[in-house]
Amino acid sequence: MLDLISHCRALRGTLKPTAEATVATECACCGLPGASIRVGDDLLCMICVPAFALDTPDIDTMAGVIWMPQMDQGVLSRLVCAAHAALRPQNTAEVQERARNALDSLADLRSASRRRVGTYQPSVLRETALTVPAHSLIKRRDRLSGLRILVLDAWFQTEARDFAALLTLRGNA
Ligand SMILES: [Zn+2]
């Protein structure tokens, strides 16, 4: 399971995506097929990539930090994937509206992140976590942070073709 604070402490420049060809592989984060991108040791689907590829230059426009301790990153990714699939024009206006409301509610959780850690920008969290002395994190032991990465609409717009291909692969097209 992804602990965002620990993940943010990876060496600078190491959290960048590289394409792989093994799309039938299950994603290391959400567990669904379609893992085609590697970030460090993890083979991921295109929906989970922004949560891991925090050194992507425009990460703050593609993703936001939210406070959601009740749901791990993989479950959140499945939810976001389903909501964006529901937004497609072949669905009814009612289905699209429910999906939009769900995504807006998730986006609102950025304010809870800002209250708790002072930011909802992944790049700021990444830089801050790198500067926290290791001894300050000892009390956390193995506890997971309630911080998650929410992939924003901009990512789905930029990667629209890959998203359509992923849905076809997963039988949701
Ligand atoms: Zn995934």
Side-chain angles (χ1 to χ4, degrees):
M1 244 186 282
L2 178 68
D3 175 59
L4 200 52
I5 300 296
S6 303
H7 187 67
C8 281
R9 291 176 62 79
L11 287 175
R12 279 189 179 83
T14 58
L15 301 180
K16 289 181 177 168
T18 53
E20 301 256 344
T22 52
V23 293
T25 306
E26 289 178 356
C27 172
C29 179
C30 69
L32 295 175
S36 59
I37 304 159
R38 182 172 295 283
V39 181
D41 294 333
D42 298 304
L43 195 54
L44 303 158
C45 75
M46 56 83 61
I47 294 165
C48 295
V49 161
F52 289 74
L54 299 178
D55 292 331
T56 303
D58 53 353
I59 188 69
D60 293 339
T61 60
M62 302 296 177
V65 182
I66 64 171
W67 175 254
M68 191 173 228
Q70 65 273 42
M71 194 179 283
D72 74 27
Q73 187 67 49
V75 174
L76 176 61
S77 284
R78 287 176 178 231
L79 178 62
V80 169
C81 179
H84 276 274
L87 285 179
R88 288 175 302 162
Q90 61 263 47
N91 292 310
T92 65
E94 186 185 351
V95 166
Q96 291 181 47
E97 186 183 347
R98 272 188 302 205
R100 176 44 57 200
N101 289 342
L103 290 169
D104 288 347
S105 296
L106 289 170
D108 286 345
L109 296 173
R110 286 178 293 184
S111 61
S113 172
R114 184 155 67 176
R115 275 198 309 276
R116 287 177 176 273
V117 296
T119 188
Y120 55 81
Q121 292 183 298
S123 69
V124 175
L125 183 69
R126 166 93 163 116
E127 196 55 39
T128 304
L130 277 169
T131 59
V132 173
H135 67 263
S136 297
L137 297 172
I138 287 174
K139 285 184 181 172
R140 297 182 75 234
R141 296 193 178 94
D142 295 329
R143 279 178 288 188
L144 297 176
S145 164
L147 297 169
R148 310 281 175 254
I149 294 288
L150 176 66
V151 183
L152 301 174
D153 290 356
W155 175 253
F156 286 89
Q157 287 159 10
T158 304
E159 306 292 332
R161 190 177 300 175
D162 284 353
F163 182 52
L166 183 72
L167 292 179
T168 301
L169 179 83
R170 290 178 178 175
N172 294 334

